[in-house]
Amino acid sequence: MRHSEQSGIKEEIMDTIQQELLSQVAGLHEVPEGAYNIRANGELAGRNTTANIDIITKEDRSGIDIRIRPGTKSESVHIPVVLSKSGLKESVYNDFFVGEDSDVTIVAGCGIHNSGSAASAHSGIHRFFVEKNAKVRYVEKHYGSGDGSGERIMNPTTEIHLAEGAVLEMETVQIKGIDSTVRTTSAEVAQGASLVIREKIMTHGKQRAETDFKVDMAGADSSVNLISRSVAKEHSTQIFRSRIVGNASCHGHSECDAIIMDEASVSAIPELTANDIDANLIHEAAIGKIAGEQLIKLMTLGLTEKEAEEQIVNGFLK
Amino acid sequence: MLELRNISFQAENEDDGKEIEILRNVNLTIEDRFVAVTGPNGSGKSTLAKIVAGILTPTEGQIFLDGTDITDKSITERAKLGIGFAFQQPVRFKGITVKDLLSIAAGKDTAMSEICSMLSEVGLCARDYVNREINASLSGGELKRIEIAMIMARKSRLAIFDEPEAGIDLWSFQSLIRVFEKMHEQTKGTILIISHQERILNIADQIVLLSDGRIEKTGSREEIMPDLLGAGQPCRTLADKL
Ligand SMILES: Nc1ncnc2c1ncn2[C@@H]1O[C@H](COP(=O)(O)OP(=O)(O)O)[C@@H](O)[C@H]1O
Ligand SMILES: [Mg+2]
């Protein structure tokens, strides 16, 4: 009953452009299962809470608190944001409190459609407080559309606090349409906790994407793994910065693997700091064009050079 | 039928920048079922295969496929005309799976059952391999066998295999030969195999012996094999392997 009511609200407020954005960033074609909060053009367009997951509107500033009770298992929270009004600029503060021993999936995402000439911008500031032994899968997608000259700007900030034994796996994808992005992620990892971040980025035109990771491993047996795969086409620019600090016996690994095409530019700037003799830190970075032999192999299978290039790029970012 | 007329290939030596002649005036007609090309390392076998596939452009000469001059045709055009080429060193791809590559090779999204039968022909269990990426996690031998499966998927009427035996570690020559026979049954085309292996040369209808960029001799198996195995030892590498 409750679901059909909610879906009614959504359809009234959201138009087809917004629904398209929603399906791009959250894979949502209808109202999601479980808890959700949908924000459209700066306003609440739908919310559902469950017995274990509460969503509360912040009073001091724009944003929500998501409270997940200890021991919550196999539940999900969707918090997509869509912007279709040209020139809208907003900053949203969302805090996630994930209780001990819970195991949840959080899907955030932002879609901007800009067909006007003024820049549209969304800055999402997400903070995660993941309690002891809790496990979070966090999926974030960014997408832009519309043919206006106004820029589509997204500056997500993610701040992660992992308590003892907590695990957070983050997947962040930005494949299309965002003109300018600065993605800042910082994390503090306690004893036995583990953080994995997988990032996929494709830029084209004159787009610019900057990634900035800073991870402090504070506790023994903590670990972090940052994996970035990106493709920079045409005149776009990408900068990948990662700073990993090991303050205890820990494992840190970061990897930046980029395909550069046309007139693009890619920088990878790693920084590793070990403050403990048992801190084990590795950084790998590879930037290069598509290997000629890969193109040739696919052409001997009957693809044109252009088709071969597409297959290689799609596979790389899959 | 494939015909090479006066094919020469020159390249610049990477060390001193001098022009070197890698293939000299190669004339060759191929129309049998199985044709083996053999010769010492560095004699120009892979270069010859790449020229036929369109990967290298000959400095001089012409290439005909069933009477049509294909010298100026691109790699893609030649692939579409039915030339398939299994590389000596297979290429790795991040993110592209065995299923993706076999589907590209077949020119269509291929059903699991078909992929399964292609992989089992080359001694791989589909369940373990379909979704594997063609990346560094696969061994050289596994890659070589996937490379062979791709040519089977293409059903090429001229299929070129560059030293396929390198992939048969856990498999067998008998199975490799069965793949060639089965392929011929399906395509009724020509299968050109670059090889050092006596067991492969033994199934060839025609053998071509390359040496220092030239065809030293070519003829039927009966004509060529005695020389290869005989006291003259025209080919040391080959003798080492036999
Ligand atoms: N692009 C190139 N530039 C310079 N030398 C080459 C090039 N390609 C091949 N060669 C040389 O040509 C000779 C023949 O090579 P290849 O055809 O690979 O021989 P095979 O396959 O018979 O072992 C070798 O001496 C090799 O080093
Ligand atoms: Mg060779």
Side-chain angles (χ1 to χ4, degrees), chain A residues 160 162 166 187-195 215-219 222-224:
Chain A
I160 300 165
L162 297 183
E188 201 183 82
V189 187
Q191 188 180 333
S194 129
L195 173 67
V215 181
D216 273 302
M217 284 184 286
S222 54
S223 73
V224 61

Side-chain angles (χ1 to χ4, degrees), chain B residues 99-120:
Chain B
K99 179 178 194 291
D100 294 337
L101 218 49
L102 288 175
S103 295
I104 294 171
K108 58 182 196 312
D109 193 17
T110 313
M112 266 307 287
S113 58
E114 231 174 301
I115 300 229
C116 181
S117 89
M118 288 190 262
L119 287 173
S120 61

Side-chain angles (χ1 to χ4, degrees), chain B residues 11-12 14 20 22 40-47 88:
Chain B
E12 231 168 64
E14 280 156 21
I20 43 168
I22 295 168
N41 284 332
S43 57
K45 303 180 297 297
S46 294
T47 305
Q88 184 172 0

Side-chain angles (χ1 to χ4, degrees), chain A residues 229 255 257 286 293-305 307 311-312 315-318, chain B residues 55 75-76 79-80 83 85-87 91-97 100-101 104-105 133 147 150 154:
Chain A
R229 276 200 182 178
E255 178 183 327
D257 202 342
E293 57 170 17
Q294 293 182 331
L295 291 171
I296 289 171
K297 178 76 250 179
L298 296 185
M299 290 193 280
T300 66
L301 299 179
L303 299 190
T304 62
E305 186 168 352
E307 289 165 342
Q311 287 283 349
I312 293 165
F316 186 72
L317 293 176
K318 197 167 56 188
Chain B
I55 297 168
I75 303 173
T76 311
K80 287 183 171 156
I83 297 180
F85 179 28
F87 290 11
V91 181
R92 297 173 204 261
F93 296 88
K94 282 182 185 161
I96 296 184
T97 63
D100 294 337
L101 218 49
I104 294 171
E133 285 183 29
E147 189 80 5
M150 274 192 268
R154 283 203 69 67

Side-chain angles (χ1 to χ4, degrees), chain B residues 9-15 18 20-23 37-50 56 88 162-163 194 196 210 212-213:
Chain B
F9 181 73
Q10 292 170 345
E12 231 168 64
N13 190 318
E14 280 156 21
D15 302 328
K18 277 198 193 127
I20 43 168
E21 189 131 71
I22 295 168
L23 290 175
V37 176
T38 192
N41 284 332
S43 57
K45 303 180 297 297
S46 294
T47 305
L48 191 68
K50 287 176 192 165
L56 295 173
Q88 184 172 0
D162 198 346
E163 303 199 16
I194 296 171
H196 295 290
L210 267 189
D212 199 17

